[in-house]
Amino acid sequence: MTDPELLALLDDPARLLRHDRAELRARLDALPEEHGGVGREVFTQAEAVFGTAPVTPAEFASWLHFAAAVLGHREYARDVAVAAPGLPWRTVWAWWRPVGVAEADPNLSGDRSAEVYEAGGAELLKVWALWCEDAWFDLATGAPRPAPAEGTAEPSEEAGPEGPWLFDADDVSRTLHAPDGWEEPLPLDGGRYVFHDARGVAVVERNDAALADWPDGGAAPSRPAPGVRPWLRAGTREADRPLSAARREAL
């Protein structure tokens, strides 16, 4: 397989999901640093976040979908969802610092919280952290919102999920992999969850149809193997400013 053929394969999620990841990883390690595109960026970001553990193509599709959302590659994320309708969960939206970016934006290390509010007929997500200014988002879309006027936002009481939540380590929950730190999510309606750790906030949605026949056994933490590093397109590597959500939008 020539370099152009490899890059064309990575840019096509339907073809990518049919190939052995270890073989692709080895070929990418030998690929010149200046060669690549969206597919290489998404593939390497997915493994930098979730690791190299062997998982089903359906579960790896969830990883690719997340990585594409984090990097702002909406079209690629849509292509993943079309190629793998049986993925166990998908990313609704993410405000997340990609692995390999020099500065932390967002920087949610230390104490942090994510809370749902209702204001003006809309549901909002407020993110608070010691090292980050308060940030407000439209809960449904992830669009940034200004802070509501004082006294106009009411906390929203969300009921806990029936049974185990997504990525629960309990033996009766589904056998899925999740990064360290994705524990005790904030449950939302419609099978959605808010996960947050030092790298950011993500709203994900479980696929009940796909999970109906998924094996039980409890979720396992996924950790990148030593040496796994993401490849980022020119303009995002070793940047002198953070790769923030606004900057990803402009790339």
Side-chain angles (χ1 to χ4, degrees), residues 42 63-74 76-77 91-96 248:
V42 172
W63 297 6
L64 289 175
H65 193 272
F66 176 83
V70 164
L71 294 166
H73 298 316
R74 297 181 182 85
Y76 196 96
T91 305
V92 180
W93 59 268
W95 183 57
W96 201 271
R248 290 199 300 274

Side-chain angles (χ1 to χ4, degrees):
M1 186 184 299
T2 65
D3 288 357
E5 290 172 338
L6 173 62
L7 296 177
L9 185 155
L10 292 168
D11 285 340
D12 184 347
R15 295 176 60 199
L16 169 57
L17 290 168
R18 295 195 299 268
H19 276 71
D20 179 73
R21 287 166 52 206
E23 177 188 347
L24 293 176
R25 193 181 310 123
R27 291 195 60 83
L28 282 174
D29 285 345
L31 197 65
E33 191 68 22
E34 65 272 15
H35 292 177
V38 169
R40 183 179 185 181
E41 191 173 50
V42 172
F43 179 88
T44 57
Q45 186 70 208
E47 292 205 329
V49 173
F50 293 93
T52 57
V55 295
T56 64
E59 187 168 6
F60 187 62
S62 289
W63 297 6
L64 289 175
H65 193 272
F66 176 83
V70 164
L71 294 166
H73 298 316
R74 297 181 182 85
E75 184 175 346
Y76 196 96
R78 288 193 296 268
D79 290 345
V80 171
V82 170
L87 47 71
W89 57 275
R90 72 176 188 94
T91 305
V92 180
W93 59 268
W95 183 57
W96 201 271
R97 183 177 80 247
V99 177
V101 175
E103 293 187 54
D105 185 3
N107 184 354
L108 302 186
S109 56
D111 291 340
R112 60 184 174 272
S113 67
E115 301 169 302
V116 176
Y117 287 83
E118 294 182 4
E123 285 191 310
L124 306 178
L125 184 71
K126 177 187 177 183
V127 179
W128 171 91
L130 281 176
W131 307 106
C132 180
E133 293 184 4
D134 290 356
W136 291 80
F137 302 91
D138 183 291
L139 184 61
T141 67
R145 295 283 296 270
E150 186 174 355
T152 62
E154 294 290 336
S156 176
E157 296 294 333
E158 294 290 343
E162 294 184 5
W165 60 70
L166 195 67
F167 308 126
D168 194 335
D170 193 290
D171 286 345
V172 300
S173 67
R174 305 306 184 190
T175 301
L176 295 167
H177 297 74
D180 290 340
W182 283 29
E183 301 171 347
E184 298 185 5
L186 176 63
L188 308 172
D189 58 5
R192 297 173 301 156
Y193 302 86
V194 178
F195 289 94
H196 60 96
D197 68 17
R199 295 160 293 183
V201 177
V203 176
V204 306
E205 179 180 53
R206 67 174 186 259
N207 183 346
D208 288 334
L211 290 171
D213 298 321
W214 206 270
D216 295 335
S222 60
R223 300 180 180 88
V228 171
R229 63 184 180 89
W231 178 91
L232 296 169
R233 292 168 302 149
T236 62
R237 286 192 301 270
E238 303 301 325
D240 58 359
R241 55 197 176 103
L243 183 59
S244 62
R247 185 163 171 235
R248 290 199 300 274
E249 188 77 23
L251 289 174

